[in-house]
PDB file of all heavy atoms in Angstrom:
ATOM      1  N   VAL A 131      18.117   8.765  19.792  1.00  0.00           N
ATOM      2  CA  VAL A 131      17.588   9.144  18.460  1.00  0.00           C
ATOM      3  C   VAL A 131      18.680   9.946  17.649  1.00  0.00           C
ATOM      4  O   VAL A 131      19.142  11.031  18.318  1.00  0.00           O
ATOM      5  CB  VAL A 131      16.342   9.983  18.664  1.00  0.00           C
ATOM      6  CG1 VAL A 131      15.913  10.661  17.270  1.00  0.00           C
ATOM      7  CG2 VAL A 131      15.228   9.025  19.104  1.00  0.00           C
ATOM      8  N   LEU A 132      18.998   9.745  16.527  1.00  0.00           N
ATOM      9  CA  LEU A 132      19.890  10.421  15.710  1.00  0.00           C
ATOM     10  C   LEU A 132      19.187  11.110  14.453  1.00  0.00           C
ATOM     11  O   LEU A 132      18.482  10.445  13.706  1.00  0.00           O
ATOM     12  CB  LEU A 132      20.890   9.550  15.167  1.00  0.00           C
ATOM     13  CG  LEU A 132      21.991  10.081  14.128  1.00  0.00           C
ATOM     14  CD1 LEU A 132      22.774  11.380  14.600  1.00  0.00           C
ATOM     15  CD2 LEU A 132      22.848   9.045  13.593  1.00  0.00           C
ATOM     16  N   ASN A 133      19.158  12.515  14.439  1.00  0.00           N
ATOM     17  CA  ASN A 133      18.425  13.356  13.454  1.00  0.00           C
ATOM     18  C   ASN A 133      19.530  13.686  12.472  1.00  0.00           C
ATOM     19  O   ASN A 133      20.328  14.743  12.809  1.00  0.00           O
ATOM     20  CB  ASN A 133      17.630  14.474  14.122  1.00  0.00           C
ATOM     21  CG  ASN A 133      16.815  15.156  13.099  1.00  0.00           C
ATOM     22  OD1 ASN A 133      16.712  14.753  11.979  1.00  0.00           O
ATOM     23  ND2 ASN A 133      16.238  16.225  13.498  1.00  0.00           N
ATOM     24  N   LEU A 134      19.607  13.163  11.242  1.00  0.00           N
ATOM     25  CA  LEU A 134      20.529  13.616  10.185  1.00  0.00           C
ATOM     26  C   LEU A 134      19.916  14.626   9.274  1.00  0.00           C
ATOM     27  O   LEU A 134      18.689  14.423   9.025  1.00  0.00           O
ATOM     28  CB  LEU A 134      20.985  12.409   9.408  1.00  0.00           C
ATOM     29  CG  LEU A 134      21.660  11.270  10.316  1.00  0.00           C
ATOM     30  CD1 LEU A 134      21.809   9.944   9.446  1.00  0.00           C
ATOM     31  CD2 LEU A 134      23.117  11.693  10.688  1.00  0.00           C
ATOM     32  N   PHE A 135      20.645  15.503   8.680  1.00  0.00           N
ATOM     33  CA  PHE A 135      20.268  16.472   7.820  1.00  0.00           C
ATOM     34  C   PHE A 135      19.029  17.319   8.558  1.00  0.00           C
ATOM     35  O   PHE A 135      17.978  17.601   8.165  1.00  0.00           O
ATOM     36  CB  PHE A 135      19.598  16.009   6.638  1.00  0.00           C
ATOM     37  CG  PHE A 135      20.513  15.062   5.748  1.00  0.00           C
ATOM     38  CD1 PHE A 135      20.486  13.710   6.074  1.00  0.00           C
ATOM     39  CD2 PHE A 135      21.396  15.623   4.901  1.00  0.00           C
ATOM     40  CE1 PHE A 135      21.301  12.907   5.323  1.00  0.00           C
ATOM     41  CE2 PHE A 135      22.331  14.787   4.202  1.00  0.00           C
ATOM     42  CZ  PHE A 135      22.271  13.300   4.463  1.00  0.00           C
ATOM     43  N   ALA A 136      19.328  17.695   9.911  1.00  0.00           N
ATOM     44  CA  ALA A 136      18.338  18.029  10.835  1.00  0.00           C
ATOM     45  C   ALA A 136      17.737  19.368  10.840  1.00  0.00           C
ATOM     46  O   ALA A 136      16.741  19.697  11.398  1.00  0.00           O
ATOM     47  CB  ALA A 136      18.798  17.690  12.263  1.00  0.00           C
ATOM     48  N   TYR A 137      18.335  20.181   9.965  1.00  0.00           N
ATOM     49  CA  TYR A 137      17.768  21.589   9.671  1.00  0.00           C
ATOM     50  C   TYR A 137      17.529  22.270  11.106  1.00  0.00           C
ATOM     51  O   TYR A 137      18.316  22.269  11.943  1.00  0.00           O
ATOM     52  CB  TYR A 137      16.699  21.633   8.760  1.00  0.00           C
ATOM     53  CG  TYR A 137      16.196  22.955   8.213  1.00  0.00           C
ATOM     54  CD1 TYR A 137      16.996  23.705   7.555  1.00  0.00           C
ATOM     55  CD2 TYR A 137      14.850  23.240   8.276  1.00  0.00           C
ATOM     56  CE1 TYR A 137      16.604  24.937   7.034  1.00  0.00           C
ATOM     57  CE2 TYR A 137      14.399  24.335   7.816  1.00  0.00           C
ATOM     58  CZ  TYR A 137      15.295  25.311   7.180  1.00  0.00           C
ATOM     59  OH  TYR A 137      14.787  26.443   6.611  1.00  0.00           O
ATOM     60  N   THR A 142      14.116  16.746  16.119  1.00  0.00           N
ATOM     61  CA  THR A 142      15.036  16.700  17.370  1.00  0.00           C
ATOM     62  C   THR A 142      13.992  17.129  18.600  1.00  0.00           C
ATOM     63  O   THR A 142      14.087  16.486  19.613  1.00  0.00           O
ATOM     64  CB  THR A 142      16.159  17.759  17.254  1.00  0.00           C
ATOM     65  OG1 THR A 142      16.874  17.314  16.012  1.00  0.00           O
ATOM     66  CG2 THR A 142      17.129  17.537  18.394  1.00  0.00           C
ATOM     67  N   ALA A 152      18.683  12.929  22.371  1.00  0.00           N
ATOM     68  CA  ALA A 152      18.692  13.228  20.934  1.00  0.00           C
ATOM     69  C   ALA A 152      20.022  13.903  20.402  1.00  0.00           C
ATOM     70  O   ALA A 152      20.626  14.659  20.991  1.00  0.00           O
ATOM     71  CB  ALA A 152      17.477  14.216  20.618  1.00  0.00           C
ATOM     72  N   THR A 153      20.384  13.373  19.243  1.00  0.00           N
ATOM     73  CA  THR A 153      21.688  13.955  18.481  1.00  0.00           C
ATOM     74  C   THR A 153      21.115  14.602  17.250  1.00  0.00           C
ATOM     75  O   THR A 153      20.438  13.938  16.458  1.00  0.00           O
ATOM     76  CB  THR A 153      22.567  12.782  18.198  1.00  0.00           C
ATOM     77  OG1 THR A 153      23.077  12.230  19.507  1.00  0.00           O
ATOM     78  CG2 THR A 153      23.922  13.434  17.452  1.00  0.00           C
ATOM     79  N   HIS A 154      21.508  15.807  17.129  1.00  0.00           N
ATOM     80  CA  HIS A 154      21.023  16.632  16.096  1.00  0.00           C
ATOM     81  C   HIS A 154      22.232  17.040  15.091  1.00  0.00           C
ATOM     82  O   HIS A 154      23.247  17.555  15.537  1.00  0.00           O
ATOM     83  CB  HIS A 154      20.403  17.970  16.551  1.00  0.00           C
ATOM     84  CG  HIS A 154      20.060  18.967  15.448  1.00  0.00           C
ATOM     85  ND1 HIS A 154      18.834  19.296  15.228  1.00  0.00           N
ATOM     86  CD2 HIS A 154      20.841  19.677  14.749  1.00  0.00           C
ATOM     87  CE1 HIS A 154      18.690  20.129  14.435  1.00  0.00           C
ATOM     88  NE2 HIS A 154      19.891  20.594  14.027  1.00  0.00           N
ATOM     89  N   LEU A 155      22.215  16.567  13.906  1.00  0.00           N
ATOM     90  CA  LEU A 155      23.327  16.801  13.003  1.00  0.00           C
ATOM     91  C   LEU A 155      22.918  17.617  11.721  1.00  0.00           C
ATOM     92  O   LEU A 155      22.024  17.141  11.086  1.00  0.00           O
ATOM     93  CB  LEU A 155      24.096  15.563  12.664  1.00  0.00           C
ATOM     94  CG  LEU A 155      25.250  15.654  11.497  1.00  0.00           C
ATOM     95  CD1 LEU A 155      26.286  14.534  12.070  1.00  0.00           C
ATOM     96  CD2 LEU A 155      24.802  15.473  10.148  1.00  0.00           C
ATOM     97  N   ASP A 156      23.645  18.588  11.349  1.00  0.00           N
ATOM     98  CA  ASP A 156      23.573  19.220  10.029  1.00  0.00           C
ATOM     99  C   ASP A 156      24.768  19.860   9.662  1.00  0.00           C
ATOM    100  O   ASP A 156      25.714  20.136  10.538  1.00  0.00           O
ATOM    101  CB  ASP A 156      22.503  20.507  10.115  1.00  0.00           C
ATOM    102  CG  ASP A 156      21.909  20.819   8.900  1.00  0.00           C
ATOM    103  OD1 ASP A 156      22.603  21.629   8.064  1.00  0.00           O
ATOM    104  OD2 ASP A 156      20.790  20.493   8.562  1.00  0.00           O
ATOM    105  N   SER A 157      25.118  19.998   8.401  1.00  0.00           N
ATOM    106  CA  SER A 157      26.371  20.599   7.953  1.00  0.00           C
ATOM    107  C   SER A 157      26.546  22.105   8.061  1.00  0.00           C
ATOM    108  O   SER A 157      27.489  22.564   7.813  1.00  0.00           O
ATOM    109  CB  SER A 157      26.612  20.055   6.558  1.00  0.00           C
ATOM    110  OG  SER A 157      25.621  20.566   5.737  1.00  0.00           O
ATOM    111  N   VAL A 158      25.396  22.612   8.337  1.00  0.00           N
ATOM    112  CA  VAL A 158      25.358  24.133   8.384  1.00  0.00           C
ATOM    113  C   VAL A 158      25.287  24.577   9.812  1.00  0.00           C
ATOM    114  O   VAL A 158      24.174  24.408  10.459  1.00  0.00           O
ATOM    115  CB  VAL A 158      24.263  24.727   7.449  1.00  0.00           C
ATOM    116  CG1 VAL A 158      24.308  26.279   7.656  1.00  0.00           C
ATOM    117  CG2 VAL A 158      24.585  24.390   6.039  1.00  0.00           C
ATOM    118  N   VAL A 161      22.115  26.805  11.063  1.00  0.00           N
ATOM    119  CA  VAL A 161      20.967  26.032  11.233  1.00  0.00           C
ATOM    120  C   VAL A 161      20.857  25.198  12.550  1.00  0.00           C
ATOM    121  O   VAL A 161      19.865  25.100  13.226  1.00  0.00           O
ATOM    122  CB  VAL A 161      20.209  25.294  10.131  1.00  0.00           C
ATOM    123  CG1 VAL A 161      20.174  26.202   8.772  1.00  0.00           C
ATOM    124  CG2 VAL A 161      21.167  24.043   9.779  1.00  0.00           C
ATOM    125  N   VAL A 162      22.083  24.806  12.860  1.00  0.00           N
ATOM    126  CA  VAL A 162      22.228  24.101  14.079  1.00  0.00           C
ATOM    127  C   VAL A 162      21.956  25.017  15.328  1.00  0.00           C
ATOM    128  O   VAL A 162      21.344  24.762  16.341  1.00  0.00           O
ATOM    129  CB  VAL A 162      23.609  23.414  14.247  1.00  0.00           C
ATOM    130  CG1 VAL A 162      23.791  22.691  15.540  1.00  0.00           C
ATOM    131  CG2 VAL A 162      23.748  22.218  13.106  1.00  0.00           C
ATOM    132  N   ALA A 165      18.367  25.624  15.585  1.00  0.00           N
ATOM    133  CA  ALA A 165      17.567  24.412  16.106  1.00  0.00           C
ATOM    134  C   ALA A 165      17.837  24.586  17.581  1.00  0.00           C
ATOM    135  O   ALA A 165      16.774  24.274  18.449  1.00  0.00           O
ATOM    136  CB  ALA A 165      18.180  23.075  15.636  1.00  0.00           C
ATOM    137  N   ARG A 178      22.232  16.919  21.803  1.00  0.00           N
ATOM    138  CA  ARG A 178      23.700  16.813  21.379  1.00  0.00           C
ATOM    139  C   ARG A 178      23.735  17.408  19.902  1.00  0.00           C
ATOM    140  O   ARG A 178      22.958  17.077  19.055  1.00  0.00           O
ATOM    141  CB  ARG A 178      24.260  15.459  21.300  1.00  0.00           C
ATOM    142  CG  ARG A 178      25.680  15.343  20.912  1.00  0.00           C
ATOM    143  CD  ARG A 178      26.368  14.095  21.352  1.00  0.00           C
ATOM    144  NE  ARG A 178      25.928  12.902  20.741  1.00  0.00           N
ATOM    145  CZ  ARG A 178      26.626  12.066  20.023  1.00  0.00           C
ATOM    146  NH1 ARG A 178      28.046  12.220  20.008  1.00  0.00           N
ATOM    147  NH2 ARG A 178      26.187  10.984  19.465  1.00  0.00           N
ATOM    148  N   TRP A 179      24.677  18.575  19.713  1.00  0.00           N
ATOM    149  CA  TRP A 179      24.545  19.352  18.464  1.00  0.00           C
ATOM    150  C   TRP A 179      25.848  18.871  17.669  1.00  0.00           C
ATOM    151  O   TRP A 179      26.987  19.115  18.245  1.00  0.00           O
ATOM    152  CB  TRP A 179      24.496  20.882  18.799  1.00  0.00           C
ATOM    153  CG  TRP A 179      23.352  21.115  19.659  1.00  0.00           C
ATOM    154  CD1 TRP A 179      23.621  21.528  21.061  1.00  0.00           C
ATOM    155  CD2 TRP A 179      21.975  21.257  19.375  1.00  0.00           C
ATOM    156  NE1 TRP A 179      22.333  21.882  21.538  1.00  0.00           N
ATOM    157  CE2 TRP A 179      21.310  21.717  20.518  1.00  0.00           C
ATOM    158  CE3 TRP A 179      21.255  20.892  18.113  1.00  0.00           C
ATOM    159  CZ2 TRP A 179      19.876  21.720  20.570  1.00  0.00           C
ATOM    160  CZ3 TRP A 179      19.938  21.041  18.209  1.00  0.00           C
ATOM    161  CH2 TRP A 179      19.313  21.481  19.371  1.00  0.00           C
ATOM    162  N   ILE A 180      25.676  18.587  16.450  1.00  0.00           N
ATOM    163  CA  ILE A 180      26.852  18.266  15.768  1.00  0.00           C
ATOM    164  C   ILE A 180      26.791  18.916  14.276  1.00  0.00           C
ATOM    165  O   ILE A 180      25.854  18.922  13.539  1.00  0.00           O
ATOM    166  CB  ILE A 180      26.976  16.768  15.445  1.00  0.00           C
ATOM    167  CG1 ILE A 180      27.264  16.069  16.908  1.00  0.00           C
ATOM    168  CG2 ILE A 180      28.065  16.282  14.456  1.00  0.00           C
ATOM    169  CD1 ILE A 180      27.209  14.551  16.821  1.00  0.00           C
ATOM    170  N   VAL A 181      27.982  19.587  13.896  1.00  0.00           N
ATOM    171  CA  VAL A 181      28.061  20.311  12.684  1.00  0.00           C
ATOM    172  C   VAL A 181      29.046  19.450  11.750  1.00  0.00           C
ATOM    173  O   VAL A 181      30.284  19.511  12.046  1.00  0.00           O
ATOM    174  CB  VAL A 181      28.481  21.670  12.705  1.00  0.00           C
ATOM    175  CG1 VAL A 181      28.707  22.401  11.320  1.00  0.00           C
ATOM    176  CG2 VAL A 181      27.580  22.542  13.575  1.00  0.00           C
ATOM    177  N   GLU A 182      28.524  18.551  11.016  1.00  0.00           N
ATOM    178  CA  GLU A 182      29.373  17.692  10.182  1.00  0.00           C
ATOM    179  C   GLU A 182      28.714  17.128   8.882  1.00  0.00           C
ATOM    180  O   GLU A 182      27.432  17.263   8.866  1.00  0.00           O
ATOM    181  CB  GLU A 182      29.740  16.557  11.121  1.00  0.00           C
ATOM    182  CG  GLU A 182      31.174  16.024  10.723  1.00  0.00           C
ATOM    183  CD  GLU A 182      31.507  14.731  11.406  1.00  0.00           C
ATOM    184  OE1 GLU A 182      31.277  14.625  12.770  1.00  0.00           O
ATOM    185  OE2 GLU A 182      32.259  13.986  10.841  1.00  0.00           O
ATOM    186  N   ASP A 183      29.396  16.479   8.086  1.00  0.00           N
ATOM    187  CA  ASP A 183      28.832  15.748   6.973  1.00  0.00           C
ATOM    188  C   ASP A 183      28.114  14.482   7.590  1.00  0.00           C
ATOM    189  O   ASP A 183      28.740  13.786   8.282  1.00  0.00           O
ATOM    190  CB  ASP A 183      29.908  15.415   5.976  1.00  0.00           C
ATOM    191  CG  ASP A 183      29.392  14.585   4.769  1.00  0.00           C
ATOM    192  OD1 ASP A 183      28.552  15.033   4.156  1.00  0.00           O
ATOM    193  OD2 ASP A 183      30.023  13.530   4.581  1.00  0.00           O
ATOM    194  N   ALA A 184      26.856  14.321   7.195  1.00  0.00           N
ATOM    195  CA  ALA A 184      26.041  13.255   7.658  1.00  0.00           C
ATOM    196  C   ALA A 184      26.794  11.795   7.347  1.00  0.00           C
ATOM    197  O   ALA A 184      26.789  10.956   8.208  1.00  0.00           O
ATOM    198  CB  ALA A 184      24.618  13.260   7.093  1.00  0.00           C
ATOM    199  N   ALA A 185      27.230  11.644   6.055  1.00  0.00           N
ATOM    200  CA  ALA A 185      27.826  10.360   5.751  1.00  0.00           C
ATOM    201  C   ALA A 185      29.072  10.048   6.587  1.00  0.00           C
ATOM    202  O   ALA A 185      29.266   8.989   6.989  1.00  0.00           O
ATOM    203  CB  ALA A 185      28.102  10.331   4.319  1.00  0.00           C
ATOM    204  N   LYS A 186      29.853  11.157   6.706  1.00  0.00           N
ATOM    205  CA  LYS A 186      31.063  10.895   7.460  1.00  0.00           C
ATOM    206  C   LYS A 186      30.885  10.526   9.048  1.00  0.00           C
ATOM    207  O   LYS A 186      31.461   9.661   9.481  1.00  0.00           O
ATOM    208  CB  LYS A 186      31.836  12.268   7.509  1.00  0.00           C
ATOM    209  CG  LYS A 186      33.064  12.262   6.555  1.00  0.00           C
ATOM    210  CD  LYS A 186      33.930  13.555   6.937  1.00  0.00           C
ATOM    211  CE  LYS A 186      35.082  13.427   5.993  1.00  0.00           C
ATOM    212  NZ  LYS A 186      35.776  14.899   5.991  1.00  0.00           N
ATOM    213  N   PHE A 187      29.854  11.325   9.484  1.00  0.00           N
ATOM    214  CA  PHE A 187      29.489  11.066  10.957  1.00  0.00           C
ATOM    215  C   PHE A 187      29.001   9.613  11.104  1.00  0.00           C
ATOM    216  O   PHE A 187      29.570   8.831  12.072  1.00  0.00           O
ATOM    217  CB  PHE A 187      28.476  12.125  11.514  1.00  0.00           C
ATOM    218  CG  PHE A 187      28.010  11.944  12.961  1.00  0.00           C
ATOM    219  CD1 PHE A 187      28.883  12.167  14.083  1.00  0.00           C
ATOM    220  CD2 PHE A 187      26.824  11.123  13.158  1.00  0.00           C
ATOM    221  CE1 PHE A 187      28.372  11.932  15.307  1.00  0.00           C
ATOM    222  CE2 PHE A 187      26.411  10.862  14.436  1.00  0.00           C
ATOM    223  CZ  PHE A 187      27.240  11.239  15.372  1.00  0.00           C
ATOM    224  N   VAL A 188      28.153   9.190  10.223  1.00  0.00           N
ATOM    225  CA  VAL A 188      27.559   7.872  10.333  1.00  0.00           C
ATOM    226  C   VAL A 188      28.617   6.813  10.166  1.00  0.00           C
ATOM    227  O   VAL A 188      28.592   5.801  10.872  1.00  0.00           O
ATOM    228  CB  VAL A 188      26.430   7.733   9.286  1.00  0.00           C
ATOM    229  CG1 VAL A 188      26.119   6.308   9.071  1.00  0.00           C
ATOM    230  CG2 VAL A 188      25.189   8.562   9.741  1.00  0.00           C
ATOM    231  N   ARG A 190      31.706   7.016  11.086  1.00  0.00           N
ATOM    232  CA  ARG A 190      32.527   7.036  12.355  1.00  0.00           C
ATOM    233  C   ARG A 190      31.615   6.289  13.397  1.00  0.00           C
ATOM    234  O   ARG A 190      32.251   5.435  14.227  1.00  0.00           O
ATOM    235  CB  ARG A 190      32.877   8.401  12.708  1.00  0.00           C
ATOM    236  CG  ARG A 190      34.230   8.435  13.479  1.00  0.00           C
ATOM    237  CD  ARG A 190      34.675   9.787  13.711  1.00  0.00           C
ATOM    238  NE  ARG A 190      33.682  10.719  14.330  1.00  0.00           N
ATOM    239  CZ  ARG A 190      33.282  11.744  13.848  1.00  0.00           C
ATOM    240  NH1 ARG A 190      33.631  12.167  12.654  1.00  0.00           N
ATOM    241  NH2 ARG A 190      32.508  12.617  14.461  1.00  0.00           N
ATOM    242  N   GLU A 191      30.398   6.439  13.459  1.00  0.00           N
ATOM    243  CA  GLU A 191      29.513   5.896  14.447  1.00  0.00           C
ATOM    244  C   GLU A 191      29.550   4.371  14.365  1.00  0.00           C
ATOM    245  O   GLU A 191      29.595   3.614  15.192  1.00  0.00           O
ATOM    246  CB  GLU A 191      28.239   6.468  14.491  1.00  0.00           C
ATOM    247  CG  GLU A 191      28.000   7.730  15.058  1.00  0.00           C
ATOM    248  CD  GLU A 191      28.244   7.734  16.587  1.00  0.00           C
ATOM    249  OE1 GLU A 191      29.375   7.815  16.920  1.00  0.00           O
ATOM    250  OE2 GLU A 191      27.241   7.618  17.347  1.00  0.00           O
ATOM    251  N   ILE A 202      16.411   9.566  12.052  1.00  0.00           N
ATOM    252  CA  ILE A 202      15.620  10.241  10.989  1.00  0.00           C
ATOM    253  C   ILE A 202      16.551  10.809   9.963  1.00  0.00           C
ATOM    254  O   ILE A 202      17.593  11.405  10.399  1.00  0.00           O
ATOM    255  CB  ILE A 202      14.903  11.409  11.770  1.00  0.00           C
ATOM    256  CG1 ILE A 202      14.061  11.015  12.798  1.00  0.00           C
ATOM    257  CG2 ILE A 202      13.961  12.219  10.828  1.00  0.00           C
ATOM    258  CD1 ILE A 202      14.614  11.159  14.241  1.00  0.00           C
ATOM    259  N   ALA A 212      29.931  19.783   5.945  1.00  0.00           N
ATOM    260  CA  ALA A 212      30.575  20.884   6.616  1.00  0.00           C
ATOM    261  C   ALA A 212      31.950  21.205   6.137  1.00  0.00           C
ATOM    262  O   ALA A 212      32.473  22.286   6.144  1.00  0.00           O
ATOM    263  CB  ALA A 212      30.587  20.749   8.262  1.00  0.00           C
TER     264      ALA A 212
END
Side-chain angles (χ1 to χ4, degrees):
V131 170
L132 173 60
N133 188 8
L134 300 167
F135 308 94
Y137 192 52
T142 309
T153 300
H154 175 110
L155 179 142
D156 198 283
S157 60
V158 175
V161 301
V162 174
R178 181 158 71 124
W179 308 107
I180 297 176
V181 179
E182 210 187 323
D183 177 54
K186 254 194 185 164
F187 176 78
V188 163
R190 211 171 53 240
E191 284 291 84
I202 303 108

